[in-house]
Amino acid sequence: MTKRLVAAALAALIVGAAAPAEPERHALAITMPDTVNLAADVILPVARPAPAILVMTPYGRRSRLGKGAIGAFTAAGFALVFVDTRGTGASQGHIDMVFSPEERGDIAAILSWIAAQPWSNKRVVTTGVSYDANLAALAVASGSPVVVGAVPRFIDFDTYRDLAVPGGVRNEMLLRQWGALTGALNSGGPCLIDASRCAAMENLAPLDGDTDFSLLRAALHDHQKDWNATVGTARYDFEDDLVPSGRPLRDGFLSSQVARLRASPVPVQLWGSWFDAATADSALAWYAAAPSAPISLYLGAWTHGGGQRVDPFLPSPAEDEPGAPVPPQVFLDFAQRAASGTGTPARGITYYTGGAAVWRKTEAWPPAGIVPVRRYLGAQNTLRDRADGVNGTDIYRTDYDASTGTTNRWTTQMGGGPVAYGDRAAADRHLLTYTSAPLDHAIEVTGAATVGLRLASTHPDGAVFAYLEAVSPEGKVIYLSEGDLRLALRGGADPFSPSFLRADTSLLTPDRAIEIAIRLHNVSAVVPKGYRLRLALAGADRDTFGRYPPDGDPTWTLFRATSYIDIPQAAWTR
């Protein structure tokens, strides 16, 4: 979740075009059914009635699109409606959880308000990045007939599994930093203390006529009742945990709206990234859960928000290199078709393959021709095509200095910063690694690798982090993907998708072997001939995730004969 602009790159959408007429702007209050006023910026094109682009955000409504993007959309005939969500910005009210029932109700009320305006043609396309994207998706789930299209970018389909507690392991970095960020934004402390400081706060845009900021500061008094995400999730370990108000946090997740999303006829253009938390997995989960829905899915290699390309094999130019779909233009084209009702886009997936820098299309995932190839853990830290046939073991004492650094797939969620793992050779010295022989031909790895391990631990709880890596002939170690699992939360009918419910907690019996399964995050990349594949195992990621158990240093005994990694792959052909 981030303050990042909904589409920063949109500023350059229309290059060299004649300057459009200055759009009409209003900053006004929209009253909800419970009398809470939400602050909105409404920007109107010359031609009316007009379709609308709706963005709802907790990060400051005026930060969501730049001047160039606003000009592009209004020139294309769209009205723009930017709304501060309840308990944020200049809106009144307060919240006690993410995507609360009140917040979801506000979406429906805003859509009805837009439809009732004299400038509106009653057709709305919703969009946003991250938190805003989830709200755009919830607008689709609302069933409102006003919604004719949606462009959610970098969603969290299941916020527990895909972001906050992936694999049952708490993302302490994000819970702490996002809690601090939203707490500071929502409280508006400097403005609340001194009105002269209100104008300098980027997330606080007053309504028209509120020249002394009295309405804004009154709203900030409401915000003091907002939940504090850091405090509210301090003991959030299980998917069925409650927030301090007593509500189930998972009730607000998109995954709770599967039936509505499956039944929706609304065309959706959905965006995710291989290297942005689990946003690619989230997008694929929605795509799979709604097999008949008109979803066009774009899976690329970007930082959060799409500002930079992230390709572990290549430098990182802008995403508009030759042959790549240009998200801003693809977004605008989709919105125009949806608003005009000129045909539903074909369902399918357009995806980027790292290393080759190519985009391809498929309707099924993984694509045709991709098959899982099993490699077994072998003696002397090898990864082999066949099992050893002997019950060999390896011993690993958890190294709590192990880390993926502070510019990883999780940290980019905090503002869209770079994703740079660098050479993992030094980091792997803290891990238990298994490396294959050099590849005799280039392979495409596309999909989600899975790891099966038989192990025993000296402690009743712990965590396992599994990394898929490529090792160059010179010894450089390149990160491709990861997955993790809290050992005490391995329960459930599907070993690759544990329940993470409190009732299914199953502590380990020390030194008794168990079998665990870990699904890694989806990725698509070409591993060149001569490179080797590596499975690296850790018990910690110091700079990002919580420590399991909180005390002690577990030692694992890993049984190689029945431990493996399945890598979805095919011989590479361009």
Side-chain angles (χ1 to χ4, degrees), residues 410-493:
W410 308 103
T411 59
T412 190
Q413 286 268 315
M414 295 302 302
V419 177
Y421 286 86
D423 184 350
R424 293 274 300 163
D428 277 3
R429 287 196 281 271
H430 294 275
L431 279 56
L432 179 61
T433 63
Y434 298 88
T435 308
S436 75
L439 297 173
D440 59 10
H441 63 277
I443 64 170
E444 171 191 352
V445 176
T446 295
T450 53
V451 173
L453 301 175
R454 180 173 176 81
L455 59 80
S457 175
T458 55
H459 286 63
D461 199 3
V464 176
F465 296 82
Y467 303 99
L468 175 61
E469 300 170 331
V471 184
S472 76
E474 298 77 28
K476 180 180 179 180
V477 180
I478 298 169
Y479 169 99
L480 296 178
S481 186
E482 71 181 70
D484 56 8
L485 177 68
R486 181 179 171 187
L487 293 174
L489 299 188
R490 66 192 184 281

Side-chain angles (χ1 to χ4, degrees), residues 493-571:
D494 180 356
F496 287 109
S497 183
S499 71
F500 302 121
L501 302 179
R502 183 178 292 272
D504 289 336
T505 303
S506 179
L507 296 175
L508 283 69
T509 300
D511 299 318
R512 178 179 295 177
I514 60 169
E515 295 192 9
I516 64 170
I518 301 174
R519 186 183 305 278
L520 277 60
H521 301 297
N522 280 276
V523 71
S524 183
V526 172
V527 182
K529 177 181 177 180
Y531 278 58
R532 294 172 289 160
L533 298 170
R534 174 173 289 178
L535 171 64
L537 302 173
D541 185 349
R542 180 194 63 211
D543 294 301
T544 303
F545 291 99
R547 190 187 199 279
Y548 298 89
D551 301 300
D553 299 306
T555 297
W556 307 341
T557 300
L558 190 65
F559 299 85
R560 295 193 301 266
T562 52
S563 296
Y564 63 88
I565 179 170
D566 285 339
I567 300 176
Q569 68 179 70

